[in-house]
Each structure stands twice: as structure tokens, then as C-alpha cells.
Amino acid sequence: MKISQELVDAINDQINFELYSAFIYFSMGAWFESQNLKGMAHWMEVQYQEEFNHAMRFYRHLTERGARVIMKQIDAPATEWKSAHDVFAVAYHHETIVTERIYKIGDIADRLGDRSAQSMLHWFYNEQTEEEANTMELRDRLKQIGDSLPALLQIDAQVAARPPAPPVPASSIAP
Ligand SMILES: [Fe+2]
Ligand SMILES: [Fe+2]
């Protein structure tokens, strides 16, 4: 089935938004480095790589369907946050926006009866559940500890163990 231009445009916009998301997490990582919170800086580096992989998964889908990927200017990310808790509160809110955007692409795919796009999007529906859960959990744990430095350093040590991001997806239906 030929992919419609409406869906191509929506997916190109989402490629840009995933790269913007990567840029935000990269910036958050740099902020954590400035605070000497190396574990959280590492967590953000992994998240940056994951976001690039999300962009690549949409990129693969357009390529596989014979459509053009068009790169656009990426917005500048924020550079300052009030606290580690603030960073993860912003990250959680950002992920809820990503989820809404992906659902809207799903609405277009539904309306057009594009099952190939819908199948590809299922991976993202699951991924967004995970992304919201991860950022929500860290936001809430950082709220619970208040301004306890030992507790903050303990969380920082725990998130330092986050495993590396999976490899760049070879196709839009890679597991
Ligand atoms: Fe993403
Ligand atoms: Fe993820």
C-alpha cells in the first residue's frame, strides 16, 4: 500500500521531535555532569541514544515504504533546571507529549486504513508506556528523598548501572 503524504509528513515531524527529545536528554546529561551527578548523566546519555534510535525506527519505516525522509531544524533544548527532581518532572511531562503525538499519528493511520504503519506504531505504544513509567518512577523517588544528599547520591549510584541502549534498529519492525 502506498503511504499517504499526510502520514509521511506526520512521521517526518515525529523524526524531528525524536531528535529534539534526544537533544533535550543530551542537555539534561550535561547539566547532571555540571552537578557531579555522574550516574544520572550516564542515564541521560543512554536515553539520548534511545531517542536517536526512535528517530531511526521512523526513518526506516519511511525508507521501507519508498518515502523521503526530510531533516528539519531541531529546536534548542533547555539548559538549566532547579534540581534533579525538576529534571525528571520535566522529562516525564515531555514523554506524555511524545505519547500524545504518537497516538495522533496512530489516528491518521487508522483513518487511512494503513495497517503497516499501525503495526510499526505498536512498538512505540509499548515503548511510551515504559518511557512514562521510568521517568515517573525517578521523579517520584527524587521527590520522596527531599533534600537529603546521601539519598540523592544513592539514587545516582543506582542509575549509573543503566545498561547501554540497544543497537540502532535495522528495520522499522525490528524487536
Ligand atoms: Fe522517543
Ligand atoms: Fe525506552
Side-chain angles (χ1 to χ4, degrees):
M1 179 186 182
K2 188 177 179 348
I3 189 168
S4 85
Q5 193 58 42
E6 183 184 5
L7 207 43
V8 172
D9 292 345
I11 292 174
N12 268 316
D13 281 349
Q14 191 59 27
I15 289 171
N16 182 269
F17 205 78
E18 297 291 348
L19 294 172
Y20 173 54
S21 303
F23 211 9
I24 290 171
Y25 293 126
F26 204 22
S27 185
M28 288 173 166
W31 185 82
F32 279 126
E33 290 283 358
S34 78
Q35 304 297 305
N36 241 320
L37 292 165
K38 298 279 185 189
M40 290 189 221
H42 164 78
W43 194 98
M44 287 294 171
E45 266 183 58
V46 174
Q47 192 61 30
Y48 157 81
Q49 287 163 353
E50 268 206 14
E51 296 306 332
F52 177 75
N53 287 357
H54 298 167
M56 281 306 296
R57 191 171 284 268
F58 285 119
Y59 177 114
R60 301 277 189 237
H61 189 73
L62 289 186
T63 304
E64 286 158 4
R65 309 267 321 260
R68 263 310 305 274
V69 173
I70 303 292
M71 296 302 169
K72 293 171 220 177
Q73 181 164 324
I74 302 163
D75 287 342
T79 56
E80 299 296 333
W81 291 271
K82 292 195 288 280
S83 62
H85 170 262
D86 183 37
V87 174
F88 280 96
V90 169
Y92 170 72
H93 178 70
H94 182 77
E95 288 302 329
T96 64
I97 293 169
V98 174
T99 303
E100 280 173 32
R101 292 179 60 102
I102 288 173
Y103 286 4
K104 284 204 178 108
I105 300 171
D107 290 344
I108 298 169
D110 272 346
R111 175 160 48 75
L112 297 169
D114 191 325
R115 291 172 206 257
S116 173
Q118 200 56 270
S119 174
M120 176 274 297
L121 287 166
H122 273 283
W123 184 91
F124 281 98
Y125 301 149
N126 294 333
E127 175 67 11
Q128 283 312 116
T129 305
E130 184 190 57
E131 299 288 50
E132 289 190 18
N134 289 345
T135 48
M136 186 197 296
E137 184 190 341
L138 280 164
R139 177 200 65 181
D140 292 350
R141 286 175 65 203
L142 288 163
K143 188 173 172 76
Q144 282 165 348
I145 65 167
D147 53 11
S148 162
L149 184 60
L152 178 65
L153 295 178
Q154 195 179 19
I155 293 175
D156 190 62
Q158 284 165 354
V159 299
R162 181 176 183 178
V168 174
S171 84
S172 74
I173 53 166

